């Protein structure tokens, strides 16, 4: 079932920002904390610097075998030991979106092994992908990750590996926000 989620950057929320890195493209305004709200927030409250919205949705580029593996091994968000998080919004280029879906799948998985790389880190790293492109948001995807401090090194490996792939040549904007539960 699809649901809209709002990531509210400002001075309130349970997640304290420890680092905001502008990887490529236009940066986001710095914030102290992030609050995750189920639903769409249209009017920001006082001391809100930005709101990123996304919709949870069906898996778009997975095969049935990959989907089965993801369903079986993906942990839920909110595990008490997962006190570290990352919010990574990404916008892909016009060239990416002009490709047919099977061409994007070829680059995403057959050449870049995006799904296969991610599967290696389950169940240590929990994640949820939010689609934002069709909402008219400034990013196409907003991905939320949660993990234990014990798996910080593995998370860095995952992100570094993904950024070296052919798929990432189509990323024109990316911000990497690291957080800890406050």
């Amino acid at each position: 079932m699809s649901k809209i989620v709002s990531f509210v950057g400002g001075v309130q929320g349970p997640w304290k920002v420890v680092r905001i890195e502008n990887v490529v493209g236009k940066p986001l305004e710095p914030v102290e904390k992030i609050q995750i709200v189920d639903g769409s927030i249209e009017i920001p409250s006082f001391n809100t610097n930005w709101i990123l919205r996304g919709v949870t949705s069906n898996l778009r580029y997975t095969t049935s075998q990959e989907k089965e593996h993801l369903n079986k091994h993906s942990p839920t968000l909110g595990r008490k030991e997962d006190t570290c998080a990352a919010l990574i919004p990404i916008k892909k280029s016009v060239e990416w979106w002009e490709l047919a879906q099977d061409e994007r799948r070829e680059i995403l998985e057959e050449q870049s092994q995006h799904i296969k790389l991610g599967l290696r880190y389950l169940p240590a790293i929990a994640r949820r992908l939010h689609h934002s492109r069709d909402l008219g948001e400034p990013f196409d995807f907003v991905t939320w990750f949660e993990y234990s401090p014990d798996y910080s090194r593995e998370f860095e490996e995952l992100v570094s590996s993904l950024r070296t792939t052919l798929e990432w040549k189509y990323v024109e904007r990316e911000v990497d926000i690291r957080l800890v539960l406050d």
Side-chain angles (χ1 to χ4, degrees):
M1 182 165 131
S2 297
K3 75 173 184 174
I4 293 180
V5 177
S6 298
F7 296 90
V8 183
V11 297
Q12 298 176 345
W15 291 96
K16 179 182 175 185
V17 174
V18 294
R19 183 178 93 218
I20 298 181
E21 178 187 353
N22 186 54
V23 179
V24 64
K26 182 181 171 186
L28 276 175
E29 194 174 333
V31 296
E32 293 176 34
K33 295 189 174 194
I34 291 180
Q35 183 171 5
I36 303 168
V37 178
D38 287 340
S40 182
I41 296 176
E42 301 303 324
I43 301 172
S45 65
F46 182 67
N47 292 327
T48 295
N49 293 37
W50 45 258
I51 301 171
L52 301 178
R53 294 172 196 83
V55 177
T56 60
S57 184
N58 60 305
L59 300 173
R60 311 256 169 111
Y61 297 111
T62 55
T63 64
S64 58
Q65 186 177 8
E66 291 163 344
K67 181 179 178 181
E68 183 180 321
H69 192 86
L70 283 166
N71 288 341
K72 184 176 180 181
H73 298 285
S74 293
T76 59
L77 296 172
R79 297 178 295 184
K80 75 174 185 181
E81 67 271 15
D82 291 350
T83 59
C84 294
L87 177 66
I88 303 180
I90 289 175
K91 179 175 181 63
K92 292 200 174 170
S93 67
V94 170
E95 292 79 21
W96 174 262
W97 295 110
E98 287 177 343
L99 296 170
Q101 185 156 335
D102 63 324
E103 294 172 310
R104 292 193 304 265
R105 162 69 193 192
E106 172 69 25
I107 293 167
L108 180 115
E109 188 55 28
E110 306 312 324
Q111 295 180 37
S112 299
Q113 300 187 341
H114 184 120
I115 298 165
K116 187 176 182 179
L117 280 169
L119 289 172
R120 286 188 208 154
Y121 296 93
L122 295 178
I125 299 167
R127 63 122 185 98
R128 185 169 64 196
L129 177 65
H130 304 85
H131 298 269
S132 304
R133 178 174 160 76
D134 292 337
L135 298 175
E137 290 291 305
F139 295 93
D140 297 326
F141 307 99
V142 180
T143 307
W144 177 256
F145 300 91
E146 293 179 3
Y147 51 95
S148 161
D150 295 338
Y151 293 110
S152 294
R153 185 179 58 80
E154 287 81 356
F155 183 73
E156 293 302 329
E157 287 174 10
L158 170 62
V159 174
S160 294
S161 296
L162 288 170
R163 287 183 181 141
T164 64
T165 65
L166 175 62
E167 177 195 0
W168 246 252
K169 292 185 184 342
Y170 292 91
V171 173
E172 65 180 29
R173 187 175 183 200
E174 177 185 2
V175 180
D176 186 335
I177 305 168
R178 301 302 174 92
L179 309 103
V180 293
L181 203 50
D182 201 15

